Amino acid sequence: MLLRLHEDDPRPLHEQVAAAIRRAIAAGESAPGERVPPARDLAAALEINPNTVLRALRQLRDEGLLDFRRGRGIRVAARPEAGELMENVRALVAAAERLGITRAELIEMIEGA
């Protein structure tokens, strides 16, 4: 799994890491059931703190994209389409926030589509 962070991205590092992993899953670099590299390895490759990577991995676990199993490590749990959709949703919310659109207004727009 090759991850890249963009220096001009204003989001917190853990969100950037989570987005990069989502993109990798959506692109099919990691299929459901495949192991995700250990947090320390990812942190070393990205030159960031391992706790930042762990926070991103926990976020993806909470979204249902990753599965944590003691003794088996972390594995991809969801289909790539789910990761792509979640990334698109996050991008939409971020774009709405930049435009000053509230979440309630965004929900109304989605329901009207």
Side-chain angles (χ1 to χ4, degrees):
M1 179 180 298
L2 178 63
L3 303 179
R4 292 198 178 131
L5 302 181
H6 302 284
E7 293 178 16
D8 59 341
D9 193 332
R11 295 177 294 175
L13 274 177
H14 73 278
E15 289 182 14
Q16 292 179 48
V17 172
I21 294 171
R22 270 190 221 97
R23 278 191 299 274
I25 293 170
E29 291 180 31
S30 292
E34 284 186 27
R35 286 188 69 167
V36 174
R40 286 186 181 171
D41 293 352
L42 289 173
L46 296 170
E47 299 179 346
I48 59 175
N49 190 302
N51 289 325
T52 302
V53 174
L54 285 171
R55 186 171 177 187
L57 294 174
R58 286 186 197 110
Q59 178 180 339
L60 295 173
R61 176 197 59 198
D62 294 345
E63 293 173 9
L65 292 176
L66 298 179
D67 185 34
F68 289 35
R69 295 288 167 116
R70 178 165 261 148
R72 291 191 202 165
I74 301 170
R75 296 187 181 272
V76 176
R79 298 182 326 262
E81 296 82 24
E84 181 178 12
L85 179 60
M86 193 59 175
E87 185 175 340
N88 289 337
V89 169
R90 287 185 185 283
L92 176 63
V93 170
E97 287 174 351
R98 281 192 307 274
L99 296 172
I101 297 171
T102 66
R103 287 182 184 240
E105 292 171 327
L106 183 59
I107 291 170
E108 287 180 29
M109 294 169 84
I110 292 170
E111 288 174 346

